[in-house]
């Protein structure tokens, strides 16, 4: 009996595929990437970065005195190494809370259900908040951002 992969497993697989080197057909044989393994010209093979997916965020967009829409955000945190990934996993609830607070503040000040989301600014605001808690986070990646009218 086969089980379906979890959203976390799917995100990790996609992240690994996106960070894997792309080679032209036949390049493996010409670059020494055959059965011997290893990198080109004695270059060590580096493991792919580690990614930790946070639970999706869904915050209100408030304009004036009423909720005008919803801001939905999916985040993936990149760890520099295995120890960093372990630290992120351990602090996941605290990191999600900080991302939620930063997203609520962004939605209150800079989001509208009728205009495109400034994803660059949102990423910067969330990154700043998360790095206050864990400065070893290598990158904060916005996987999905959407603003919708309610």
């Amino acid at each position: 009996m086969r089980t379906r992969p979890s959203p976390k497993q799917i995100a990790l697989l996609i992240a690994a595929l996106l960070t894997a080197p792309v080679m032209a057909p036949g390049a493996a044989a010409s670059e020494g990437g055959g059965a011997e393994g290893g990198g080109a010209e004695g270059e060590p093979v580096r493991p792919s970065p580690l990614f930790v997916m946070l639970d999706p965020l869904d915050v209100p967009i408030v304009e004036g005195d009423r909720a005008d829409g919803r801001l939905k955000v999916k985040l993936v945190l990149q760890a520099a190494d295995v120890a960093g990934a372990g630290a992120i996993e351990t602090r996941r609830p605290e990191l999600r809370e900080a991302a939620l607070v930063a997203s609520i503040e962004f939605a209150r000040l800079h989001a509208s259900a009728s205009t495109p989301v400034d994803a660059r600014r949102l990423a910067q605001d969330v990154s700043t908040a998360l790095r206050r808690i864990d400065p070893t986070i290598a990158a904060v990646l916005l996987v999905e951002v959407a603003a919708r009218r309610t």
Side-chain angles (χ1 to χ4, degrees), residues 48-142:
S48 64
L50 300 171
F51 297 91
V52 176
M53 183 174 205
L54 294 182
D55 292 334
L57 306 173
D58 186 356
V59 300
I61 298 173
V62 178
E63 290 188 19
D65 61 347
R66 64 186 177 86
D68 188 47
R70 306 294 296 174
L71 178 67
K72 297 182 185 225
V73 181
K74 289 185 182 176
L75 298 167
V76 174
L77 307 181
Q78 181 179 1
D81 54 23
V82 174
I88 290 172
E89 282 289 342
T90 302
R91 300 184 95 171
R92 183 191 297 254
E94 186 180 3
L95 291 167
R96 185 177 187 281
E97 179 183 356
L100 185 61
V101 169
S103 297
I104 290 170
E105 187 69 6
F106 175 87
R108 186 179 70 82
L109 296 174
H110 307 293
S112 170
S114 58
T115 60
V117 177
D118 184 353
R120 189 169 296 179
R121 184 171 193 159
L122 174 59
Q124 180 180 0
D125 291 355
V126 172
S127 293
T128 301
L130 294 178
R131 286 194 173 117
R132 279 189 208 121
I133 294 169
D134 188 349
T136 65
I137 294 172
V140 177
L141 309 168
L142 289 175

